Amino acid sequence: MDTAEEDDIGWFDEGMMIKVFEEEIKKHKKGAIFTVDIPENNWYYVVLKTYDDKEKIKITYKKNKS
């Protein structure tokens, strides 16, 4: 018999899962329990989001012309 620990996909970084799955995760806040259904892959998940999304910051550098 499977246990919850065996079915836990754990942490994953952006780009590790298919885009549709990641987009669904991003729609929810920490502590939310929700489902993700991706019929074309025969995937159906019940998700407990246990973290907050990290804010992304774009950094650019300019060289000074001397």
Side-chain angles (χ1 to χ4, degrees):
M1 179 181 267
D2 288 341
T3 66
E5 290 179 349
E6 292 172 354
D7 294 338
D8 186 352
I9 62 172
W11 294 89
F12 58 90
D13 290 327
E14 189 169 347
M16 290 179 63
M17 302 297 281
I18 66 170
K19 188 174 182 172
V20 175
F21 185 83
E22 289 185 3
E23 288 171 351
E24 288 298 317
I25 300 296
K26 290 177 184 178
K27 291 179 184 178
H28 299 276
K29 294 183 181 192
K30 180 179 177 180
I33 298 173
F34 56 95
T35 60
V36 178
D37 187 15
I38 306 173
E40 58 271 14
N41 290 35
N42 290 326
W43 290 4
Y44 184 82
Y45 288 96
V46 176
V47 179
L48 167 61
K49 188 167 182 175
T50 59
Y51 67 94
D52 287 320
D53 294 318
K54 293 180 182 177
E55 183 178 336
K56 294 183 180 181
I57 300 171
K58 182 177 180 180
I59 300 173
T60 56
Y61 296 95
K62 292 185 179 183
K63 289 185 175 182
N64 290 336
K65 294 182 181 180
S66 304

